[in-house]
Amino acid sequence: MRLCDHISEINKKDEKALSVFLTAGFPEAKNFSDLAISILDSGADLLELGIPFSDPLADGPVIQNSSLIALENKVNIKKVFEYTSAIKQKADKPIVLMGYANPIVHYGVENFFSDALNAGANGVIIPDVPIDEYDSFYGCGSKGLDTIMLTTPYSTEERIQKADELSSGFIYCVSVYGTTGERVNFSEETIEVLSKTKSIIKKNKMLIGFGISSAESIKSIAPVCDGVIVGSAVIKRLFEYREDKNLSKVTSYISSLKEACIKS
Amino acid sequence: MIKTNNYISPDIKGKYGKYGGKYVPETLINALEELEALYKKVKDEESFIAELNDLQKNYNGRQTPLTYAERLTKHYGKAKIYLKREDLCHTGAHKLNNTLGQILLARRLGKKRIIAETGAGQHGVATATVCAKFGLKCEIYMGETDIERQKMNVFRMKMLGAEVRPVSSGSKTLKDATNEAIRDWVANVKDTYYIIGSVVGPHPYPMIVRDFQSVIGNETYTQMLEHEGRLPDYILACVGGGSNAMGMFYRFLEEDVKLIGVEAAGLGLQSDKHCASLTLGSDGIFQGMRTYVLQNEDGQINEVYSVSAGLDYPGVGPEHSFLKDSEKVSYVSVTDDEALKATVDLSRFEGILPALESAHAVAYLEHLMPKTNRSQIVVVNISGRGDKDLNTIIKYTEEKL
């Protein structure tokens, strides 16, 4: 099933899609697939799998640090594909790969897309390839993999339309100015901008990311989106899990987020 | 602002051949477009040019001399050697050429807060200086390793009223300071202007910084004709990010002059302790640009090294990558040891203490001069002075003794 159909199915049940970001190979390279499956089983609808990079420009300190640990754990693109197949074998939910341009270019863009597809990935997000560089990067075609472009509160109507045109699957709508990381609340102004963005997007589903960390924050933005992406808040809890080995704290957190997606 | 000749770059998308571009998070696109539109509008405006020229002359101390290095020339007994004296710019290096231009852009955009990254501290000082002059809030990102080896410049920035923000991620040097500055900009793009210090980053920065630095080459061109009635045969400049080299080379790209960029080979090209991005790097996407990058087999950016904090960078300006591939410029490298020897040599022969960065260009004379003859002319760009490096030089000399 393609990404947009999957999200539509969820929306039909009057639910918002919950996408959870994990840095591949964090906190441990060993058993990472099992961890990801537990997260999916506890309520995540989609998995966003981060390919670690030494210089993650769009990320705040929490994801940066997880990325560095994953690199110390010797995680590379090949390993990310292994995780993808392993997870797919046990959980029938979409996986979107999120990675910065350089490791992908180094791997070979065309090979990356084919191998990602073979591994079972559904889509790809490359935060440092904006629509201006779409042709230079995706020129070879994405081999049936969904390509997900980003919008921000600063994006003009024209750019949102362009992102909508170039994307398949969904649009990743960045909620706030800044890098990834938890924030307390969304202002009325933010909600208004998000709602305007939603009205411009015609073709794709819209998932909101950056700054979402609680059931409350999900409820506040649910009316203006088709789903949410939670990253840093999960990674932060995985840092705790790394110390106390208590996975149930993480899985019950995910369940509480999904609950907010249903009830909102 | 400066029209030279047939060489035109970048193209409309900010590409130098396949290099350059705008590989940044979507959040920054608006700010980059706004900057590009403003720059296109003002660069040929008389009032802008007049304001910048006045600052360059009466504040920065331009034009800088082109000095005939008489004793150094005699020492080699080959081509005549001239030195372009960017070390005499206000604040001690070519960096102010760029920050003066960019602060005028920031003012026209109405931005109240200025951020910058710095390696050796020279760009940080040059940014803090223009912020003091124009009364703008200034925050400088600097790697902890660099803070340690460039204490004097850290103190200078604080004296100038800037806040120095230590960066502890990665290799704690220029690359990491740049990442943090970009993250700050992503978060505060509304009221903040980011003054990039070299010909790096996303379009339009490499073009803007090159244009502001091209005053170096433009002056050299005129001065060479005054001194010798002809253009030089060779021009040498050091390359880290590559702003002094780009500023020097740009005017000469279509002339019959051999242009040589000198990178830092650190402890040697065979060691992994160097930062010779053009010599040993490969095609990559880094900090907003496609360019030559030092990276590992998985496309992770390497931690690089040079005794000179200003060259310690795993990437290089995209236009240099283009000039390398199109063979308009040759890129070579010299080691820490060679650069340190050149620092002492230039001090003793000419009474000029070069920055360790600039000393890399001087050091290449050892390789180049034997191939020249007495009828030829070589120009070396002395991009900065070495006062800031005395601690490093003392430490190094003591270790060697």
Side-chain angles (χ1 to χ4, degrees), chain B residues 95 116-125 140-151 153-154 157 172-178 197 308-313 357 388-389:
Chain B
K95 293 292 183 188
E117 83 297 338
T118 198
Q122 288 304 108
H123 174 59
V125 167
I140 307 289
Y141 287 91
M142 188 169 188
E144 282 178 349
T145 305
D146 290 337
I147 287 179
E148 189 50 43
R149 57 182 169 175
Q150 301 288 339
K151 280 184 184 145
N153 273 343
V154 173
M157 287 185 269
K172 302 174 181 132
T173 60
L174 181 56
K175 143 183 117 80
D176 311 284
T178 307
S308 134
L311 300 180
D312 201 344
Y313 185 65
E357 291 78 14
K388 69 177 172 66
D389 295 316

Side-chain angles (χ1 to χ4, degrees), chain B residues 121-381:
Chain B
Q122 288 304 108
H123 174 59
V125 167
T127 303
T129 298
V130 295
C131 287
K133 174 153 179 59
F134 289 101
L136 293 168
K137 188 170 156 42
C138 178
E139 288 168 40
I140 307 289
Y141 287 91
M142 188 169 188
E144 282 178 349
T145 305
D146 290 337
I147 287 179
E148 189 50 43
R149 57 182 169 175
Q150 301 288 339
K151 280 184 184 145
M152 293 288 276
N153 273 343
V154 173
F155 188 70
R156 273 173 88 187
M157 287 185 269
K158 289 181 178 168
M159 284 276 296
L160 290 159
E163 208 174 303
V164 179
R165 298 191 168 272
V167 175
S168 59
S169 56
S171 56
K172 302 174 181 132
T173 60
L174 181 56
K175 143 183 117 80
D176 311 284
T178 307
N179 285 343
E180 279 316 311
I182 295 175
R183 288 186 185 114
D184 180 315
W185 200 36
V186 168
N188 301 297
V189 66
K190 224 168 198 167
D191 68 342
T192 299
Y193 184 96
Y194 176 23
I195 300 191
I196 289 188
S198 192
V199 287
V200 299
H203 180 67
Y205 278 111
M207 171 181 79
I208 290 178
V209 177
R210 173 199 71 195
D211 287 356
F212 288 144
Q213 290 294 358
S214 64
V215 65
I216 303 172
N218 291 341
E219 284 181 11
T220 304
Y221 187 97
T222 314
Q223 289 168 316
M224 207 62 245
L225 293 180
E226 283 166 12
H227 283 291
E228 295 282 345
R230 71 177 187 89
L231 296 181
D233 298 278
Y234 295 93
I235 300 181
L236 298 175
C238 66
V239 178
S243 71
N244 88 83
M246 215 45 246
M248 174 56 107
F249 295 162
Y250 190 49
R251 181 64 186 86
F252 296 94
L253 283 173
E254 296 288 289
E255 305 292 344
D256 189 19
V257 178
K258 289 189 181 65
L259 305 171
I260 302 172
V262 187
E263 296 195 294
L267 300 182
L269 293 178
Q270 303 77 19
S271 74
D272 54 4
K273 299 269 187 198
H274 63 80
C275 49
S277 321
L278 289 160
T279 311
L280 290 181
S282 54
D283 190 8
I285 292 174
F286 176 57
Q287 294 185 335
M289 57 184 165
R290 183 165 178 182
T291 192
Y292 275 87
V293 182
L294 290 163
Q295 52 189 327
N296 73 11
E297 67 281 3
D298 289 328
Q300 307 294 341
I301 309 304
N302 286 348
E303 291 192 4
V304 295
Y305 164 84
S306 165
V307 68
S308 134
L311 300 180
D312 201 344
Y313 185 65
V316 65
E319 194 162 12
H320 284 295
S321 295
F322 171 69
L323 293 171
K324 176 191 161 77
D325 285 6
S326 56
E327 297 179 353
K328 285 179 184 292
V329 178
S330 330
Y331 294 91
V332 298
S333 64
V334 303
T335 62
D336 281 1
D337 285 352
E338 293 176 280
L340 279 145
K341 181 180 175 296
T343 310
V344 179
D345 284 352
L346 194 67
S347 301
R348 300 211 170 147
F349 280 118
E350 298 295 335
I352 295 169
L353 169 64
L356 285 176
E357 291 78 14
S358 326
H360 283 74
V362 178
Y364 192 70
L365 289 172
E366 287 283 322
H367 302 272
L368 176 68
M369 294 312 285
K371 295 178 211 157
T372 65
N373 61 56
R374 279 168 195 267
S375 67
Q376 292 181 308
I377 301 168
V378 178
V379 173
V380 186
N381 196 24

